[in-house]
Amino acid sequence: MTDRKSVSSWPKNGGNNQQWTAQFAGQNTYYLRNGEGGYLSYEGSAENQKTFICSSQPRPFYIFVDPDNSQEGTLRRFMIVDASRPRLNVEVKGGSATTGETVWLYEAAQRPQPWGFFPV
């Protein structure tokens, strides 16, 4: 895994880069690590519209169950927020479903975008 690798949206294809696990980091926070060994991270401090990279340096996140969680098979929906600045959410830029769209920290005026997790 090489640091400074952009994190972007992509259709589900089963690749290791799409298989993320939540590793307990203490104090109700988690590190998000993909199947290639990289952690969801960013450079510098948490700021609105900061883009994510895949890095060897993990960042802690809070993961909350989506209160509107409707189960679709084994899919569970969660909201992910930065542990250092809990008003910043992990979101796809503009809420877009477009392939290759940026994943970033975003201070949403409404509720955060939900993320789907499947058990592996």
Side-chain angles (χ1 to χ4, degrees):
M1 173 54 47
T2 303
D3 281 358
R4 306 193 68 174
K5 187 173 182 180
S6 298
V7 176
S8 58
S9 63
W10 206 259
K12 183 179 173 187
N13 63 22
N16 286 336
N17 63 329
Q18 293 186 336
Q19 297 183 31
W20 295 83
T21 57
Q23 299 176 334
F24 185 66
Q27 300 182 348
N28 297 322
T29 64
Y30 295 86
Y31 300 134
L32 296 173
R33 186 172 188 219
N34 74 15
E36 294 180 346
Y39 291 94
L40 187 64
S41 192
Y42 49 83
E43 293 181 327
S45 60
E47 300 171 16
N48 192 37
Q49 301 182 4
K50 173 83 69 157
T51 58
F52 281 104
I53 59 172
C54 208
S55 172
S56 61
Q57 299 299 312
R59 297 277 182 164
F61 297 93
Y62 293 114
I63 301 175
F64 300 103
V65 174
D66 183 350
D68 297 330
N69 209 348
S70 59
Q71 281 192 277
E72 300 171 17
T74 57
L75 174 68
R76 297 285 300 180
R77 294 185 340 191
F78 297 85
M79 293 171 286
I80 306 167
V81 299
D82 189 82
S84 68
R85 291 198 49 205
R87 290 193 49 89
L88 295 175
N89 313 302
V90 177
E91 302 203 359
V92 176
K93 184 178 180 181
S96 174
T98 303
T99 297
E101 192 60 78
T102 299
V103 177
W104 64 1
L105 282 174
Y106 189 70
E107 188 169 352
Q110 304 294 321
R111 63 186 219 100
Q113 289 176 1
W115 291 86
F117 286 81
F118 293 91
V120 291

